[in-house]
Amino acid sequence: MTQPALTSPFVPSTAQASTAAQDDRRFVIYGVPWPAYVALRDALDDRSGLRLTYLEGTLEFMSPSRDHEDYKKLIARLLEAYAEERDIDLRGFGGATFRKEAKQRGLEPDECYSLGPLGEVPDIAIEVIVSSGLVDKLDVYRGLGVPEVWVYKEGQLLVLHLTGGGYEPRTASFVLPDLNLPHLVRFIAVGENQTQIVKAYRRSLNERIEPEM
C-alpha cells in the first residue's frame, strides 16, 4: 500500500494562514542570491537572535517569541538530562548554521544534536512551532540530509525520519531508540520552573522501567 504523502508541519493550513506569525515575528524576501544569503548570515551578530532559513532564493527571517524559546530550551534540557542519566555521548550544537550551496539551502535549528562527533549535519534537529513559518523548513532539512527532525507543535512531538522518498513519521527515534518520547513530552510545560521539571524528569527515569514503545 502506498503511504500518503506527509503534509509538512511547517506549512500553515488555510485556517492557520490568517493567524500565522502572531507570536514569532517573521518576514520573507524572494529572489535572494546564495552569496547574499551567506554574507548576511555571516554578518549578523549571533546576539541578534534572528534565525534565517534559505530555500532556493527565498529567505525568511524569524525572531522567536518568548514561549518559543521556553519550549525549545526545556526540550533541550530534558533530552540532555536523559543522555546524562543513560550515559549517552549526545553532543549539542544549539542553533548552529548548516548550509549547502549545491542544494541552495541553509538554516539554524532550534536545537540540534549528534551521537558522538558532529558530521556534516546533526543526527537530530529539533524544531518548535508556535506559529507556522513562511518557508517549508522540512524541505530545507531534506536537502541538507538531516536524518531525523523532531517537531514540537500543539503539545505533540512528531518524529520524522529521512528516507529515500522524504521524511516519514515514526513512533520512536532511530537515533535514540530507547528514549520513551511520550514520557518526555509529559514534562513539557511552558512558563513553569524548568529546573524543577528537569529534576522531576530525572527522578522518573531512575524510578521507573520504561515500557516498550
Side-chain angles (χ1 to χ4, degrees):
M1 180 181 296
T2 302
Q3 184 171 354
L6 173 71
T7 300
S8 174
F10 295 96
V11 177
S13 66
T14 302
Q16 293 173 316
S18 62
T19 60
Q22 281 186 349
D23 300 306
D24 300 324
R25 297 180 180 179
R26 304 175 187 269
F27 69 94
V28 66
I29 302 175
Y30 300 97
V32 179
W34 177 262
Y37 156 64
V38 172
L40 185 58
R41 177 65 279 176
D42 292 347
L44 282 173
D45 191 320
D46 289 341
R47 289 175 296 179
S48 69
L50 283 175
R51 294 178 195 158
L52 276 59
T53 302
Y54 184 84
L55 175 61
E56 298 177 338
T58 299
L59 178 60
E60 180 189 82
F61 297 78
M62 191 269 279
S63 177
S65 66
R66 187 176 299 176
D67 282 356
H68 187 131
E69 295 297 271
D70 195 352
Y71 278 123
K72 73 102 176 178
K73 182 55 67 177
L74 179 55
I75 293 170
R77 291 183 66 177
L78 292 170
L79 181 57
E80 290 161 14
Y82 172 81
E84 291 168 7
E85 293 297 326
R86 297 296 184 258
D87 198 23
I88 297 170
D89 183 12
L90 187 69
R91 306 187 187 188
F93 296 91
T97 299
F98 297 93
R99 58 197 184 203
K100 287 185 180 179
E101 182 176 5
K103 298 293 185 179
Q104 292 286 292
R105 284 162 168 78
L107 51 63
E108 294 85 43
D110 280 334
E111 298 284 348
C112 65
Y113 296 89
S114 70
L115 278 179
L118 177 66
E120 189 174 355
V121 295
D123 295 316
I124 297 172
I126 297 175
E127 291 287 345
V128 171
I129 300 179
V130 172
S131 58
S132 297
L134 304 172
V135 173
D136 185 2
K137 294 187 80 170
L138 200 61
D139 194 357
V140 181
Y141 279 119
R142 179 186 58 78
L144 295 175
V146 175
E148 201 164 275
V149 179
W150 297 6
V151 180
Y152 184 77
K153 182 178 182 180
E154 298 176 349
Q156 302 294 320
L157 186 61
L158 178 65
V159 175
L160 302 172
H161 184 74
L162 184 61
T163 67
Y167 283 99
E168 295 181 356
R170 294 287 189 266
T171 57
S173 168
F174 278 26
V175 179
L176 298 171
D178 295 329
L179 172 60
N180 187 326
L181 286 168
H183 175 62
L184 182 148
V185 168
R186 290 201 291 270
F187 288 83
I188 300 173
V190 70
E192 301 296 330
N193 186 320
Q194 291 188 2
T195 297
Q196 293 304 316
I197 288 173
V198 174
K199 288 174 68 175
Y201 179 61
R202 285 184 184 273
R203 287 195 299 270
S204 75
L205 290 175
N206 292 321
E207 292 171 356
R208 71 199 297 273
I209 299 175
E210 296 190 21
E212 294 182 2
M213 301 298 292

